[in-house]
């Protein structure tokens, strides 16, 4: 039996009191139940990458710091990604942009699903900004996405996310498409 591809779920919010962690935990549980992937959760708050501090351009892959080498190895091992992200001032979070900018080739030919959340816009303006950034890195952002408007209404007892049927169906559609696209890009990643 072939190995399952590895999905990295990146939790992009790092602020105290963030709702991104429970959203990420809900999505992680949903992805595990889906069963199509091995899962690696990369919580940018726990990883705590400093502001970009490598002296050479990431495309050279001549990293000098252990935190960059560790981040590179994790991203390289992933076959697909899901970014769980809020919207700050119509844009993506600074820690997510920093994490993307640390690397270059490690992102290439890998599909990306987006789980965005927020108020009325459900983080979709940040999702559109993200698409501009990740396509430059050679990633393939999917049309299928999970967009959670007024996210506070989905916080249940104990702070866990209680999803509705729309969120669950969107997550399934996105995971199914991530599997298909990841398999299609595996040849390009191997070359």
């Amino acid at each position: 039996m072939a190995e399952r591809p590895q999905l990295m779920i990146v939790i992009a919010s790092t602020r105290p009191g963030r709702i991104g962690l429970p959203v990420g935990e809900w999505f992680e549980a949903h992805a595990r139940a889906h069963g199509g992937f091995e899962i690696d959760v990369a919580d940018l708050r726990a990883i705590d990458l400093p502001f970009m501090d490598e002296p050479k351009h990431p495309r050279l892959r001549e990293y000098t710091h252990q935190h960059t080498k560790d981040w590179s190895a994790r991203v390289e091992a992933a076959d697909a990604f899901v970014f769980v992200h809020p919207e700050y001032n119509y844009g993506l979070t600074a820690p997510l942009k920093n994490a993307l900018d640390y690397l270059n080739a490690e992102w290439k030919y890998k599909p990306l699903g987006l789980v965005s959340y927020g108020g009325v816009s459900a983080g979709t303006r940040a999702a559109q900004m993200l698409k501009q950034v990740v396509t430059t890195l050679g990633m393939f952002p999917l049309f299928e996405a999970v967009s959670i408007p007024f996210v506070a209404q989905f916080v249940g007892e104990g702070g866990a996310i209680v999803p509705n049927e729309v969120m669950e169906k969107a997550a399934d559609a996105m995971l199914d498409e991530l599997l298909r696209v990841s398999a299609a890009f595996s040849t390009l990643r191997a070359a």
Side-chain angles (χ1 to χ4, degrees):
M1 186 167 99
E3 275 188 39
R4 294 184 296 173
Q6 184 165 324
L7 174 67
M8 179 186 278
I9 300 169
V10 177
I11 300 173
S13 177
T14 61
R15 70 175 181 78
R18 64 193 168 145
I19 201 165
L21 183 60
V23 172
E25 290 168 342
W26 160 73
F27 187 81
E28 176 191 1
H30 194 91
R32 289 189 189 282
H34 179 271
F37 293 95
E38 295 295 327
I39 306 293
D40 176 23
V41 176
D43 181 352
L44 294 182
R45 182 173 181 176
I47 293 170
D48 196 26
L49 286 170
F51 193 73
M52 177 52 139
D53 63 350
E54 286 291 337
K56 295 186 178 179
H57 195 285
R59 76 177 174 279
L60 301 173
R61 293 184 85 165
E62 295 176 13
Y63 306 128
T64 61
H65 300 294
Q66 191 60 47
H67 56 259
T68 311
K69 293 173 185 177
D70 294 344
W71 181 233
S72 171
R74 282 182 79 177
V75 171
E76 182 73 28
D79 299 298
F81 295 89
V82 168
F83 293 168
V84 177
H85 67 92
E87 178 178 305
Y88 292 170
N89 301 316
Y90 284 40
L92 67 154
T93 67
L96 179 55
K97 181 66 165 75
N98 188 49
L100 287 163
D101 289 346
Y102 256 91
L103 309 175
N104 188 280
E106 295 90 337
W107 302 109
K108 197 166 190 149
Y109 301 128
K110 297 179 182 180
L112 170 64
L114 298 173
V115 176
S116 64
Y117 59 89
V120 68
S121 75
T124 56
R125 295 172 293 213
Q128 292 307 310
M129 179 184 274
L130 256 169
K131 289 175 184 179
Q132 294 175 45
V133 173
V134 301
T135 55
T136 301
L137 293 168
M139 297 179 83
F140 184 81
L142 301 179
F143 168 78
E144 292 78 6
V146 180
S147 304
I148 308 170
F150 303 107
V151 66
Q153 70 182 319
F154 298 105
V155 178
E157 292 294 319
I161 295 297
V162 181
N164 64 18
E165 184 180 356
V166 172
M167 291 164 59
E168 291 180 335
K169 285 184 176 181
D172 285 336
M174 186 174 69
L175 288 163
D176 289 345
E177 189 67 2
L178 279 168
L179 266 178
R180 281 189 288 272
V181 174
S182 177
F185 280 164
S186 64
T187 305
L188 292 172
R189 288 194 303 274

